[in-house]
Amino acid sequence: MDDEKRQQDDWANSRKNRLPSFTEVLSRKTRPPVDLFMFYLFLQREGAEDILDFWLDVQQHENLCRAYFKDVRKSGRTIKEDWPQYWDYARRRGSIYGTVVGLNPDSHTKRSTQSTADLVSEHDRRNLAATSDSGHGRRSTTPDAGRVAPPSDPNADPPRSSTPFSLSGRTPTLFNLRRASRAPTVIPRSAAITRLDLIASAERIFYRYLSPAGNTVNSQENHEIYLPPALRIHSFPLSSTQEPKTQTELSIMAQIPDMFHAQKEYCFRAMEQDAFPRFLRSKAFGNLTPISALVRLIAGLVILWIGLAVGFALIFLDVEPKSKRFFLFIPYTLAILFLISHQYELDPILVFLNQSETTPFRTLTMREPYVRKLLLGRAIWVTVLVAAFSTALTMLFWAVPGHRL
């Protein structure tokens, strides 16, 4: 316990002077405003939260598989005895569960990044698709359903999309908040996990994220994500309602635990290289949402127009005493504050109150120390700019001699 606490303290100290990594955010080791929930909201504003949902659901699927393997070992049986097809597959191709199932890490090569669609022959796929069509109403009947993705080099990285987050055609929903904690570390269950549970988990992921919208019974449950051709899976030839019986079905079922790992890794790299840097720029260097910043821009322009109109009126009406012009400091300060807040996407007043926006005009307390330090420094700079511009503008209108028209 002392060693674990010491490790946590060392980890916390190592992040006092740096921003968190994407791995730390996904593993829920960070705090607001750079935690997983805030990252989910950031993707939701861009209409790209499905890619994070997919990663979290695959993570939960892999946790379920690990729990199954641990249950088998606790029962006194070996994986080789309980699931010989998977054992043979894992020894030949490698598996991410090598340490859990007892494989020697040095006895198998690095797992291929080939998609599951590449691992099933076209002949077997067509036979299984025909069987599934007759016994499972949700199977695809489109011409592309039995198509096999082009082969890929097992040692090469999968192709990457240059703009994986710009391909979503769904409208962002800012106020329909959903919890991002969808992949619990501990799988709650009242009975031992079965292989049908693993198939059901993989089947749900396939029809929710990988199957074209027209191939599902309830299209509202489909949130198809973009994947490069080499990683696409065009059909799911197993059914969660019955145990696989044929040799081909058993061979395909052996791939279920590792089925989406290559796709998960691609989504991880896509988020890490594209969305995550923009998320850090948004939350570690600012504390406003785009809509809130836009409202401040509009308010700032309106207040500035009012302030200038009043200032010119005081000049051309030659209002006395001249000291009344100092009251222009109020609208000018508000206008400059709103305009600079829009430019920097940062409200210094919220920073001084230790708040950061989640959705427009809703805030939470900042708890990440380094982010608070960064935002505090930027808030002081913004405050200096606001004071300088407001003072200069006020003094300018005060110094102009009055001239009644």
Side-chain angles (χ1 to χ4, degrees):
M1 182 66 67
D2 293 339
D3 292 339
E4 182 179 353
K5 184 177 181 180
R6 189 181 301 110
Q7 290 178 357
Q8 292 178 351
D9 293 339
D10 293 341
W11 172 82
N13 292 331
S14 69
R15 283 188 34 242
K16 284 185 177 180
N17 295 309
R18 67 174 178 87
L19 291 172
S21 66
F22 188 46
T23 302
E24 290 168 344
V25 172
L26 288 181
S27 59
R28 299 174 176 84
K29 293 181 179 179
T30 58
R31 290 176 287 182
V34 288
D35 59 337
L36 183 60
F37 178 66
M38 293 293 286
F39 181 60
Y40 186 88
L41 294 181
F42 176 81
L43 292 181
Q44 193 177 57
R45 286 199 299 269
E46 299 188 345
E49 74 274 18
D50 288 337
I51 192 170
L52 179 57
D53 281 337
F54 172 76
W55 192 95
L56 292 170
D57 283 347
V58 174
Q59 182 70 26
Q60 186 177 22
H61 171 75
E62 292 179 352
N63 288 342
L64 189 70
C65 294
R66 288 188 179 90
Y68 170 80
F69 292 136
K70 289 179 181 179
D71 284 348
V72 171
R73 297 183 66 176
K74 289 179 181 179
S75 67
R77 294 171 57 85
T78 64
I79 303 300
K80 185 176 181 180
E81 297 170 343
D82 181 78
W83 197 353
Q85 295 86 0
Y86 171 77
W87 178 264
D88 181 64
Y89 165 80
R91 287 183 62 85
R92 285 186 296 105
R93 295 187 176 273
S95 173
I96 62 173
Y97 311 96
T99 57
V100 179
V101 300
L103 287 172
N104 184 354
D106 298 330
S107 65
H108 60 272
T109 59
K110 182 180 179 182
R111 183 182 181 272
S112 170
T113 57
Q114 225 173 354
S115 68
T116 307
D118 301 333
L119 304 179
V120 183
S121 67
E122 186 174 1
H123 175 72
D124 293 338
R125 182 182 299 281
R126 287 176 178 173
N127 290 340
L128 285 173
T131 303
S132 301
D133 285 339
S134 60
H136 196 52
R138 292 190 299 175
R139 294 294 174 254
S140 171
T141 58
T142 59
D144 293 337
R147 186 176 58 191
V148 180
S152 60
D153 183 3
N155 297 320
D157 289 336
R160 299 175 183 176
S161 168
S162 58
T163 56
F165 295 95
S166 62
L167 299 176
S168 174
R170 303 193 309 111
T171 303
T173 54
L174 295 176
F175 301 98
N176 183 21
L177 304 182
R178 291 184 290 171
R179 292 181 59 86
S181 55
R182 300 182 56 182
T185 304
V186 178
I187 305 295
R189 62 185 188 274
S190 58
I193 299 172
T194 66
R195 295 181 202 171
L196 285 180
D197 294 331
L198 305 186
I199 295 178
S201 174
E203 184 181 48
R204 181 181 63 85
I205 292 174
F206 171 78
Y207 282 106
R208 182 175 178 83
Y209 301 107
L210 306 181
S211 175
N215 293 352
T216 58
V217 174
N218 186 357
S219 59
Q220 293 181 350
E221 292 298 322
N222 182 276
H223 301 280
E224 184 183 4
I225 63 172
Y226 171 82
L227 289 172
L231 292 179
R232 293 174 188 167
I233 302 176
H234 297 285
S235 66
F236 190 84
L238 298 178
S239 172
S240 59
T241 60
Q242 56 185 3
E243 283 275 2
K245 297 179 180 180
T246 67
Q247 188 62 36
T248 302
E249 289 177 332
L250 292 174
S251 299
I252 296 175
M253 184 180 176
Q255 303 167 19
I256 289 295
D258 298 274
M259 187 174 193
F260 306 111
H261 189 69
Q263 291 79 2
K264 174 189 169 187
E265 291 299 306
Y266 170 81
C267 291
F268 177 91
R269 287 194 296 269
M271 290 188 289
E272 184 180 41
Q273 295 172 7
D274 188 354
F276 186 65
R278 290 186 284 109
F279 166 71
L280 287 183
R281 285 195 297 270
S282 172
K283 292 304 175 184
F285 299 97
N287 63 348
L288 297 179
T289 59
I291 290 181
S292 180
L294 180 61
V295 170
R296 281 169 169 79
L297 173 62
I298 297 173
L301 292 175
V302 172
I303 296 174
L304 181 61
W305 180 83
I306 294 174
L308 292 176
V310 173
F312 282 112
L314 293 176
I315 292 174
F316 292 118
L317 293 177
D318 195 16
V319 176
E320 296 292 344
K322 195 175 181 180
S323 59
K324 290 183 178 180
R325 300 185 192 179
F326 284 118
F327 288 102
L328 293 173
F329 185 78
I330 297 175
Y332 292 158
T333 300
L334 290 176
I336 298 299
L337 173 62
F338 288 154
L339 293 176
I340 294 183
S341 295
H342 166 265
Q343 181 65 28
Y344 283 83
E345 292 190 351
L346 182 143
D347 189 326
I349 298 177
L350 289 180
V351 174
F352 295 142
L353 295 175
N354 201 29
Q355 298 293 306
S356 180
E357 283 194 342
T358 55
T359 56
F361 312 109
R362 293 185 179 182
T363 63
L364 51 67
T365 302
M366 295 185 294
R367 301 186 182 278
E368 190 71 20
Y370 185 63
V371 173
R372 282 190 298 184
K373 183 170 69 173
L374 286 177
L375 289 178
L376 183 60
R378 288 173 63 85
I380 293 174
W381 170 246
V382 168
T383 302
V384 170
L385 288 179
V386 171
F389 280 108
S390 301
T391 302
L393 201 55
T394 303
M395 295 303 296
L396 176 63
F397 274 83
W398 173 83
V400 174
H403 180 75
R404 189 173 184 84
L405 296 180

